Amino acid sequence: MSPFPGFLPDEPIDSVAHLIQTALTPIFMLSGIGTLLNLFNTRLARVSDHIEKSNDALATTKAPTERRHLRQHIRHLHRRTLLLDASILLAAVGGAATCGAAFVLFLGSLRDSSVASWLVVMFGMALICTVGALAAFLCDSLAAWHGLRMTTSWARSTHPKD
């Protein structure tokens, strides 16, 4: 007889241990997604700070060439914020889907066979959103590297070594 009638099946301890292991899998994924969200938010804060500094420089600069370069740089940084926003949004949806998958696993312990399809949908959505978040973050990284190369080449062309 189960100590919690209606909640845990009358099965050996191995089945209960497997249920707990299965339920913990999404939680580990959620921990990884939380780390990604922290990384994305930190990166977004750095880009935002860089936009602010570039806007301040634009306000004090009179040279037309430098103003044009700063406007172009600010547009580039704005595109990066959109990529980071997409990364954060997708990771957050992936995290919510992971929580949903964990919840469905616990509902599945009640032996309702209809929750299996929900579990597949929730965990699948979590994986797809996490991959999407990583892809958007990769695009931001590529944009950052491209912007760094553009800035370096512009600085070399406007300030050649003597």
Side-chain angles (χ1 to χ4, degrees):
M1 185 77 178
S2 172
F4 302 105
F7 290 103
L8 291 175
D10 294 328
E11 294 185 20
I13 192 77
D14 290 342
S15 295
V16 175
H18 178 70
L19 174 65
I20 292 170
Q21 288 172 341
T22 305
L24 287 177
T25 300
I27 303 308
F28 287 118
M29 184 172 172
L30 186 61
S31 175
I33 291 171
T35 302
L36 287 173
L37 280 169
N38 187 26
L39 173 74
F40 298 157
N41 278 309
T42 301
R43 182 79 163 254
L44 183 59
R46 292 184 70 204
V47 171
S48 296
D49 289 344
H50 197 74
I51 288 173
E52 188 176 323
K53 288 178 185 176
S54 296
N55 279 326
D56 290 345
L58 183 62
T60 60
T61 300
K62 302 284 188 229
T65 305
E66 195 169 338
R67 290 181 63 79
R68 187 173 55 249
H69 172 71
L70 284 168
R71 282 192 203 103
Q72 181 183 11
H73 186 63
I74 291 168
R75 281 192 301 272
H76 176 77
L77 291 171
H78 177 65
R79 285 189 297 270
R80 288 187 57 202
T81 62
L82 294 176
L83 290 168
L84 287 166
D85 286 345
S87 298
I88 291 167
L89 176 67
L90 287 167
V93 171
T98 302
C99 289
F103 182 69
V104 168
L105 280 169
F106 284 117
L107 287 179
S109 69
L110 300 175
R111 297 290 178 211
D112 183 0
S113 62
S114 67
V115 299
S117 59
W118 279 104
L119 177 61
V120 169
V121 169
M122 297 299 279
F123 201 71
M125 190 165 73
L127 291 172
I128 289 168
C129 287
T130 303
V131 168
L134 289 170
F137 185 69
L138 176 63
C139 290
D140 171 66
S141 295
L142 293 172
W145 298 330
H146 177 72
L148 182 61
R149 285 193 303 271
M150 285 176 27
T151 302
T152 304
S153 66
W154 178 80
R156 286 183 188 150
S157 67
T158 58
H159 303 293
K161 290 183 179 180
D162 295 320

